Amino acid sequence: MGSSRSIDFSKWWGVKESSSSSSRKGNPVVVTMENPNYSVLEIDAPDSAFQPLDKDRGKNAQQFTWLLFLKAHRVVGCLAWLGNSLCSLLHAAKKRLFLGHVETEMSAKAKFLFRVILAFLVMALAFLSFELVAHFKGWHYFHHHNLHLPQTLEIKGWFHTAYVRWLEFRSDYIAPPIQSLSSFCILLFLIQSVDRMLLSLGCFWIKFKKIKPVIDGDPLNSHDLEGSNEEYPMVLVQIPMCNEKEVYEQSISAVSQLDWPKDRLLIQVLDDSDDESIQWLIKGEVSKWSQRGVNIIYRHRMFRTGYKAGNLKSAMSCDYVKDYEFVAIFDADFQPNPDFLKQTVPHFKGNPQLALVQARWAFVNKDENLLTRLQNINLCFHFEVEQQVNGVFLNFFGFNGTAGVWRIKALEESGGWLERTTVEDMDIAVRAHLNGWKFIFLNDVKVLCELPESYEAYRKQQHRWHSGPMQLFRLCLPAIITSKIAFWKKTNLIFLFFLLRKLILPFYSFTLFCIILPLTMFVPEAELPIWVICYIPVFMSFLNILPAPKSFPFIVPYLLFENTMSVTKFNAMVSGLFQLGSSYEWIVTKKAGRSSEADLLAAEEWDSKAMSLQLNRGTSDSGLAELNKIKESQETVPVKKTNKIYKKELALAFLLLTAAVRSLLSAQGMHFYYLLFQGVSFLLVGLDLIGEQMN
């Protein structure tokens, strides 16, 4: 049936003619080939192209060559990518080392911690020197994990004698305390892992049963803002800010567009800025929205006492606040959707014990760099699992400080905002819980905000988030013990909310993975099981990353970075627990001013409307002229980036890398890879490369 113009590939491949060719079925198929040497191929039946071939079929040398070329091309491409990545990383590191500066002002606590880590590094280098000499001289005493001491006649040389004495001292006096401390940390690690697993199971149960807070009926009884507004409660919206020149405009714009009756809504812009030019900018933005009919006022404090808590406390002391039933709080970088109040406020109706409705955060810059991706993993687990599970099963969780609506009566009965800690949000939440109030978390209501894009900003934020809870624990412990709430609620507050999740986690993470693990490389008598180093951490990281499934490719960097950040978290935890100097430090997290696509479209629409309106400027012409000058001057001032080098992280990096070299001598492959990658992670953070590399 084949045409005379076709090519018989069976002869070319050495395929024998089948005797059953006459039984072929189906219509001929014509396939056009891209190869210019062969234009048309006719196949008599669909199955003819898939006939079994003989084992002694000849091979095509040209095709084999092309296959080798393809594999070689892939290998070269992979090597080129690795080379380019390494070169860019080394170039950035060189820039940090030779063009950067090291902060000279360090607190006494930071200097002490740095000296301790440096002492560990010097000790590790001394251990490594002993082990290297012994290794190359063939002095192996641990073939069967039993200490074998040489006889007197076997000892040759003073160094050999010193080495044996060192082995005895290490086995009798150094290994036992390290082993005891590691066992204690492993126990804490297992307890914390069980807590994470229970939270994850609770989240799976919520998803399986589709449990979530619902609104019964239509509490507002009105969908038309032009009609009767009596069903709409009076809502006060507060935007606390301090020197937020990057984000003030978008936050004020988003809050001013909330879909709520104008006569039932008042917006307070609470400015603590000490820069007069920024004050002018915020005043101008408030004036713009006020002229558009929005009930918005500007408040500025002369002295920033109490930080954010003092700012909110001052705003709540105004006489007109007594006319409002609820207060919504948004930090300066938060951009709520117009229907935010309609999704949150109705939950209060018919629920007089409800004090707080908390919404979830969403991030406009979660894919900006590796640092923001890793933060997104942590915060997704925090909201999806911790906040949601605690809200459903306990009706209590820590207020996130923003993107929430409070019943003003609950705030007043719980003592209002206090200036005693840097975590005023957690403080008011704990006091409200002790007074019997309930909380609701809405996982489906999301408010856009911004993640810190630099390690410096993230480190300062984490210091405040981990120092404040320990400071609050000291202050709240007597009140928790003497409160009238149920015993199991007291137990949850003390052992789970504070001790396990705020104190134990940074303690064992830093001690176990940053101190004990490298020491076990130099003290082999104190061993860490492989499941502690590898299996359980990977499994826990897998659970943490489940709420953000698109982040699965970053599971290894996430695990290493969490251990790296344990230095900052442990430092902050100790500072807050013992009331050290930096425990009351509040530094505003640096923002970049990212906006979502919806925000940009809305801003453009508002600007086009504003152009068609004739605003009555009156005596404000001079103020607007001054505002324009400030904006022009800020646009022309170049922003100077400073390089940061962190001593503690670099010292730990070299400690871990030294321990990795030691692990090679004992042929511990898994320990070597873990210590190597963890050391590189510390090195990247120490040179402040985590945010600008690996985008």
Side-chain angles (χ1 to χ4, degrees):
M1 295 177 63
S3 174
S4 60
R5 293 175 296 175
S6 63
I7 305 298
D8 189 359
F9 279 94
S10 62
K11 294 180 181 179
W12 189 47
W13 285 101
V15 180
K16 296 182 180 179
E17 189 74 16
S18 174
S19 60
S20 59
S21 60
S22 58
S23 62
R24 296 173 181 169
K25 299 179 181 180
N27 298 325
V29 179
V30 179
V31 181
T32 303
M33 309 294 290
E34 295 182 358
N35 193 322
N37 297 327
Y38 310 105
S39 59
V40 177
L41 167 67
E42 292 187 4
I43 302 176
D44 292 339
D47 297 336
S48 62
F50 307 100
Q51 295 293 330
L53 303 178
D54 291 342
K55 294 182 179 180
D56 57 347
R57 182 181 69 179
K59 296 182 179 179
N60 186 355
Q62 184 181 10
Q63 198 172 38
F64 183 71
T65 303
W66 280 108
L67 180 63
L68 291 180
F69 277 131
L70 179 62
K71 290 185 177 294
H73 176 71
R74 290 178 179 175
V75 172
V76 171
C78 181
L79 293 177
W81 179 82
L82 290 175
N84 290 333
S85 301
L86 182 61
C87 288
S88 62
L89 192 62
L90 292 177
H91 177 70
K94 179 181 178 181
K95 216 168 45 170
R96 294 290 185 194
L97 289 173
F98 295 103
L99 300 180
H101 73 275
V102 181
E103 294 176 315
T104 56
E105 296 183 0
M106 296 178 63
S107 64
K109 173 183 58 60
K111 291 180 179 179
F112 175 74
L113 182 60
F114 171 68
R115 288 169 183 169
V116 170
I117 296 173
L118 198 60
F120 273 111
L121 176 60
V122 173
M123 185 170 59
L125 291 173
F127 292 169
L128 181 61
S129 302
F130 269 102
E131 295 293 338
L132 285 174
V133 173
H135 177 76
F136 289 117
K137 285 184 174 293
W139 299 338
H140 306 296
Y141 299 110
F142 295 97
H143 291 296
H144 304 287
H145 302 284
N146 294 320
L147 179 62
H148 169 66
L149 296 178
Q151 301 297 323
T152 306
L153 297 177
E154 297 175 337
I155 299 177
K156 298 179 180 179
W158 65 269
F159 189 84
H160 198 170
T161 304
Y163 181 67
V164 173
R165 294 293 179 265
W166 158 245
L167 291 178
E168 292 177 343
F169 179 80
R170 187 179 71 185
S171 177
D172 296 337
Y173 299 103
I174 296 181
I178 294 178
Q179 188 67 58
S180 300
L181 182 59
S182 64
S183 301
F184 178 66
C185 290
I186 290 173
L187 178 62
L188 297 180
F189 181 32
L190 293 177
I191 294 174
Q192 197 269 339
S193 300
V194 170
D195 177 61
R196 286 296 176 99
M197 289 184 62
L198 292 177
L199 287 174
S200 300
L201 290 175
C203 182
F204 292 150
W205 181 257
I206 291 172
K207 297 293 183 183
F208 178 72
K209 291 293 185 178
K210 297 181 180 180
I211 302 173
K212 64 179 181 179
V214 294
I215 303 173
D216 297 331
D218 184 11
L220 300 177
N221 294 328
S222 175
H223 298 283
D224 185 9
L225 296 181
E226 300 298 330
S228 175
N229 296 331
E230 294 181 358
E231 295 295 332
Y232 289 86
M234 299 287 286
V235 178
L236 177 68
V237 181
Q238 296 177 334
I239 314 176
M241 59 179 63
C242 178
N243 297 325
E244 307 273 8
K245 66 178 180 180
E246 296 84 7
V247 293
Y248 76 92
E249 188 173 1
Q250 61 194 34
S251 63
I252 295 176
S253 173
V255 172
S256 298
Q257 299 177 58
L258 288 173
D259 188 7
W260 202 256
K262 303 300 182 185
D263 58 335
R264 316 293 289 182
L265 180 70
L266 175 64
I267 301 172
Q268 286 181 319
V269 178
L270 311 176
D271 184 24
D272 267 3
S273 303
D274 54 8
D275 189 333
E276 188 175 354
S277 62
I278 298 178
Q279 296 175 25
W280 271 102
L281 293 173
I282 299 175
K283 285 180 182 178
E285 186 69 16
V286 170
S287 175
K288 180 180 72 175
W289 287 102
S290 179
Q291 291 171 351
R292 293 177 181 179
V294 178
N295 292 329
I296 183 171
I297 59 176
Y298 174 86
R299 280 180 54 87
H300 178 263
R301 294 194 304 164
M302 297 300 296
F303 302 101
R304 192 184 172 218
T305 56
Y307 303 114
K308 182 180 176 182
N311 200 0
L312 295 173
K313 182 179 179 180
S314 173
M316 294 298 293
S317 63
C318 297
D319 293 336
Y320 53 80
V321 173
K322 65 179 183 295
D323 298 328
Y324 293 84
E325 188 176 357
F326 304 103
V327 56
I329 303 173
F330 299 100
D331 282 350
D333 59 315
F334 279 71
Q335 307 163 46
N337 292 326
D339 61 347
F340 175 83
L341 293 179
K342 288 189 173 181
Q343 290 182 305
T344 54
V345 174
H347 286 276
F348 288 96
K349 189 171 184 179
N351 196 351
Q353 294 300 315
L354 182 61
L356 168 67
V357 175
Q358 173 72 61
R360 180 175 176 170
W361 300 359
F363 310 105
V364 297
N365 61 338
K366 62 182 179 180
D367 295 322
E368 183 64 25
N369 54 41
L370 181 60
L371 179 61
T372 57
R373 291 187 178 103
L374 300 180
Q375 291 179 71
N376 180 61
I377 295 173
N378 261 341
L379 291 173
C380 282
F381 182 86
H382 170 70
F383 287 108
E384 185 88 13
V385 180
E386 291 180 343
Q387 298 291 77
Q388 187 172 211
V389 170
N390 290 328
V392 169
F393 295 106
L394 301 177
N395 294 123
F396 166 72
F397 47 81
F399 176 45
N400 294 115
T402 177
V405 182
W406 276 92
R407 189 189 297 270
I408 295 180
K409 180 182 178 182
L411 286 176
E412 294 174 348
E413 290 186 359
S414 302
W417 301 104
L418 298 182
E419 307 169 4
R420 57 183 182 174
T421 68
T422 56
V423 284
E424 75 294 326
D425 46 7
M426 186 181 295
D427 188 2
I428 188 63
V430 170
R431 286 185 280 117
H433 180 58
L434 295 179
N435 283 316
W437 292 96
K438 296 181 180 180
F439 303 162
I440 283 180
F441 177 76
L442 302 179
N443 192 52
D444 297 332
V445 181
K446 300 180 180 180
V447 181
L448 289 175
C449 60
E450 188 177 317
L451 291 166
E453 296 181 6
S454 68
Y455 176 69
E456 175 70 10
Y458 180 63
R459 187 176 68 93
K460 292 178 179 178
Q461 180 197 70
Q462 291 300 303
H463 185 277
R464 188 177 76 248
W465 285 5
H466 287 81
S467 173
M470 288 296 95
Q471 190 180 18
L472 178 63
F473 177 64
R474 288 173 53 111
L475 298 172
C476 284
L477 184 58
I480 295 174
I481 296 175
T482 59
S483 65
K484 298 180 180 180
I485 62 174
F487 177 76
W488 68 270
K489 291 184 177 180
K490 295 181 182 180
T491 305
N492 171 70
L493 269 177
I494 295 174
F495 293 102
L496 292 181
F497 186 76
F498 279 112
L499 291 181
L500 184 61
R501 297 166 189 166
K502 303 298 188 297
L503 186 146
I504 290 178
L505 177 59
F507 170 76
Y508 87 74
S509 181
F510 172 76
T511 307
L512 187 62
F513 295 105
C514 301
I515 300 298
I516 295 179
L517 179 58
L519 281 182
T520 57
M521 295 297 100
F522 304 100
V523 186
E525 295 87 353
E527 296 181 347
L528 277 180
I530 191 65
W531 55 268
V532 175
I533 303 170
C534 181
Y535 302 140
I536 290 187
V538 170
F539 179 68
M540 289 297 105
S541 298
F542 178 79
L543 288 181
N544 289 354
I545 213 169
L546 278 179
K550 293 183 180 180
S551 302
F552 268 103
F554 304 98
I555 185 170
V556 175
Y558 170 73
L559 173 62
L560 298 174
F561 183 67
E562 278 301 290
N563 291 339
T564 305
M565 280 303 300
S566 64
V567 180
T568 297
K569 295 176 181 178
F570 178 80
N571 189 6
M573 182 267 292
V574 173
S575 174
L577 188 62
F578 297 103
Q579 297 289 308
L580 301 179
S582 60
S583 61
Y584 202 66
E585 179 185 18
W586 181 297
I587 299 177
V588 178
T589 305
K590 185 70 175 177
K591 314 292 193 316
R594 306 286 180 182
S595 298
S596 63
E597 184 177 354
D599 297 321
L600 295 176
L601 294 175
E604 183 178 357
E605 181 181 355
W606 273 104
D607 289 340
S608 62
K609 291 181 181 179
M611 292 296 293
S612 61
L613 297 175
Q614 297 294 330
L615 299 179
N616 182 18
R617 291 189 173 92
T619 58
S620 63
D621 286 337
S622 59
L624 291 176
E626 174 111 10
L627 182 63
N628 292 331
K629 290 180 181 179
I630 293 174
K631 288 184 176 180
E632 292 176 1
S633 63
Q634 287 189 344
E635 290 176 356
T636 57
V637 174
V639 179
K640 183 179 180 181
K641 293 184 65 176
T642 58
N643 300 324
K644 299 290 184 182
I645 297 177
Y646 302 99
K647 292 183 177 181
K648 293 189 292 291
E649 284 79 359
L650 287 179
L652 278 170
F654 289 112
L655 173 63
L656 290 163
L657 293 175
T658 305
V661 176
R662 173 61 183 86
S663 66
L664 283 178
L665 302 180
S666 56
Q668 293 177 303
M670 185 63 68
H671 291 73
F672 167 72
Y673 289 115
Y674 181 87
L675 290 165
L676 177 64
F677 290 126
Q678 187 64 71
V680 172
S681 178
F682 269 102
L683 193 63
L684 292 175
V685 171
L687 295 175
D688 194 12
L689 301 174
I690 194 77
E692 68 178 54
Q693 295 297 319
M694 294 179 262
N695 290 339

